[in-house]
Amino acid sequence: RTEFGVADDLYQLAVYALSPFGVSAYRPNRGVDEGSYLRTASLVEWHPDISAEFAKPGLSARFFYERGDGTLDFQRMEARLVGRLPMGPLVAIARGDVGAVLGERPPSQQLFELGKQQNLPGYADKEFAGTRAAILRATLQYTSPFLRRPIRWGQVFLPAVAPGLSVGVQSGWTDAPTAAGRAAIDRLAITDPRSLILVAPVSRPSDGIRASVTAGLRLFSGGVFIGATRPVDQAAKWRALFTFGQQW
């Protein structure tokens, strides 16, 4: 698939102050390099119906290329390989991603970010960023034979509880080898690019390969994960982890 279009990136101040599910304040939106550009993107997929989230076994691959020409000039490339192997009640899944952003002044919003919700659950949210990144994830999942029928509530059907166990390991790396790349990371900390107000850096290169592990209980065919995680490349304690969607 190939796409062409005109894009205009603008900064948006956070609209809400507090979460409706607690008293914690929302974090400010990260800095964005504003500008207009002609966007061109191409995607090539091999076996797109095979992924870490779908049940079909096999191998799949994906290559994505995007570029901007205009006020913002950049090129972004991503490659992915996924394998899924069922073994009776067990399923082994592995996924690897690599990517790079090129340009004399790469936009901050095009950087790769890794962290708690970005494939490295043992670390803080979006703790690492860079113009180059790689992530490798693997998991072994077991689905029990209990409660595997959908739940019927009148005319409403809910997914089966389908409890299961899951253990996974995640390993990632980010880097910013150029001064322009490191400056793009620093600009993530600008709460409003029009006022150029700087705050403490919010992300950094990973400074080598980082890794974490997860272990816990999966419910609703993997739609809910309740468990714990911790980094393994340094001394750290286990921390509780609750997520929606497939957790590795």
Side-chain angles (χ1 to χ4, degrees):
R1 183 174 75 243
T2 299
E3 305 171 3
F4 301 93
V6 176
D8 189 20
D9 291 358
L10 298 174
Y11 182 79
Q12 175 63 54
L13 290 170
V15 177
Y16 299 102
L18 297 176
S19 166
F21 301 104
V23 297
S24 299
Y26 282 124
R27 289 168 293 183
N29 289 341
R30 293 190 162 204
V32 167
D33 293 327
E34 297 186 331
S36 303
Y37 53 96
L38 174 66
R39 178 181 180 272
T40 307
S42 295
L43 174 66
V44 178
E45 291 183 286
W46 177 61
H47 293 167
D49 54 340
I50 298 173
S51 73
E53 294 76 23
F54 296 161
K56 186 174 181 178
L59 291 173
S60 70
R62 178 182 186 270
F63 179 77
F64 176 73
Y65 174 80
E66 180 184 14
R67 68 177 294 142
D69 296 281
T71 308
L72 300 180
D73 287 287
F74 65 90
Q75 297 182 71
R76 181 185 176 109
M77 293 165 285
E78 303 175 20
R80 175 183 302 167
L81 182 64
V82 179
R84 186 181 182 98
L85 176 64
M87 299 175 291
L90 301 174
V91 177
I93 308 171
R95 171 175 159 176
D97 294 84
V98 296
V101 177
L102 307 177
E104 293 185 0
R105 191 178 188 271
S108 296
Q109 61 270 27
Q110 292 294 335
L111 296 173
F112 298 98
E113 296 175 310
L114 299 179
K116 182 177 181 180
Q117 302 298 331
Q118 302 81 33
N119 306 321
L120 274 180
Y123 293 88
D125 190 53
K126 299 181 180 180
E127 181 172 348
F128 308 116
T131 55
R132 302 187 300 182
I135 184 80
L136 178 62
R137 297 175 287 165
T139 183
L140 184 64
Q141 300 178 357
Y142 167 78
T143 301
S144 74
F146 307 108
L147 302 175
R148 302 187 72 168
R149 291 186 178 183
I151 302 171
R152 182 174 181 177
W153 186 21
Q155 299 300 314
V156 177
F157 286 85
L158 300 176
V161 176
L165 301 175
S166 175
V167 293
V169 59
Q170 310 83 28
S171 180
W173 163 85
T174 65
D175 189 23
T178 66
R182 293 188 291 273
I185 296 176
D186 291 340
R187 292 196 300 274
L188 289 171
I190 300 177
T191 56
D192 185 345
R194 288 173 288 263
S195 64
L196 298 181
I197 297 176
L198 294 174
V199 296
V202 294
S203 293
R204 57 188 174 90
S206 65
D207 190 24
I209 298 175
R210 303 287 181 162
S212 63
V213 294
T214 57
L217 179 69
R218 296 186 303 111
L219 302 172
F220 302 109
S221 299
V224 175
F225 177 87
I226 303 173
T229 182
R230 58 153 294 181
V232 294
D233 58 286
Q234 58 183 280
K237 296 181 179 180
W238 286 90
R239 293 183 293 179
L241 181 66
F242 174 81
T243 64
F244 291 99
Q246 288 282 352
Q247 177 56 54
W248 292 53

